[in-house]
């Protein structure tokens, strides 16, 4: 067996396990399995792994560092030019990276400030004019459900004003909310809060129905609380080695 074949078999097995968990979580919540999208978080793993996951049928991939994502997306496009993959940025994004992210991202899930909205809309406008992208950028508002953690995200009370700012641009399309559950408390409490915020948002912005919530360790709880997209890294790809910043 070649190295590639071994890795493909390994990924096929973990994908099947994750799909079983998702199916069971949807069944337990009385929701159809198609309700929840599986987003593979490929950070720290090579483009070759993304190509193998694409071969296994996955089409949505996420990265959390712009510098790492840019060359990986380019390499993936060379490995699988016809995959039609969609790339999500899920990590904290500095405004000076907006220009670059606008070239490769289909979705930015970590929008958390009016200044970032402004930077992204300008960057997308430039990228559209330069022919570096053909579509508006889909965005989610990241909500911070844990005052203590510095993982990014706006306060719950800032979601609606930020949504307003996003929808006044013509380059960004508001799709919903994203959050990372704090490790300190029960994730169910956090996901319930997020679901209430999402319901409120949807009242004013019906097109913003996505809830990106749940990772390898807490996807069942997220699905029980209405998640429409789980972001799974470790359970699919294995443990990440620590990388220096
Ligand atoms: C790394 C990461 C994930 C995936 O986490 P796992 O526990 O490996 O599944 C999900 N969301 C964000 C924002 C991440 O940075």
């Amino acid at each position: 067996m070649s190295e590639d074949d071994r890795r493909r078999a390994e990924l096929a097995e973990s994908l099947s396990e994750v799909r079983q968990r998702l199916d069971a979580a949807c069944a337990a919540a009385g929701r159809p399995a198609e309700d929840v999208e599986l987003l593979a978080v490929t950070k720290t793993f090579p483009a070759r792994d993304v190509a193998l996951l694409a071969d296994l049928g996955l089409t949505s991939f996420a990265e959390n560092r712009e510098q790492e994502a840019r060359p990986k997306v380019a390499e993936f496009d060379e490995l699988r030019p016809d995959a039609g993959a969609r790339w999500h940025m899920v990590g904290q994004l500095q405004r000076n990276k907006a220009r670059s992210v606008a070239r490769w991202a289909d979705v930015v899930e970590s929008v958390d400030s009016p200044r970032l909205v402004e930077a992204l809309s300008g960057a997308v406008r430039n990228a559209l004019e330069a022919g570096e992208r053909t579509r508006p950028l889909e965005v989610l508002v990241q909500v911070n459900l844990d005052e203590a953690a510095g993982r990014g995200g706006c306060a719950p009370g800032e979601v609606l004003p930020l949504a307003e700012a996003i929808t006044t641009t013509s380059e960004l399309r508001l799709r919903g909310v994203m959050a990372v559950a704090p490790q300190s408390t029960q994730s169910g409490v956090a996901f319930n809060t997020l679901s209430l915020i999402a319901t409120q948002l949807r009242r004013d912005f019906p097109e913003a129905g996505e809830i990106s919530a749940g990772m390898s360790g807490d996807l069942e709880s997220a699905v029980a609380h209405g998640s429409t997209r789980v972001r799974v890294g470790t359970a699919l790809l294995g443990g990440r080695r620590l990388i220096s910043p």
Side-chain angles (χ1 to χ4, degrees), residues 41 43 64 90-91 151 178 180 214-217 231-235 240:
V41 183
K43 66 188 183 201
N64 75 331
V90 298
R151 294 237 224 169
M178 183 273 253
V180 178
M215 320 201 302
S216 293
R231 308 178 306 270
V232 180
T234 314
R240 289 182 287 273

Side-chain angles (χ1 to χ4, degrees), residues 158-175:
E158 292 167 357
V159 173
L160 283 179
L162 207 47
E164 200 75 59
I166 290 164
T167 50
T168 57
T169 75
S170 51
E171 295 85 12
L172 308 182
R173 295 278 182 273
L174 179 67
R175 288 291 181 246

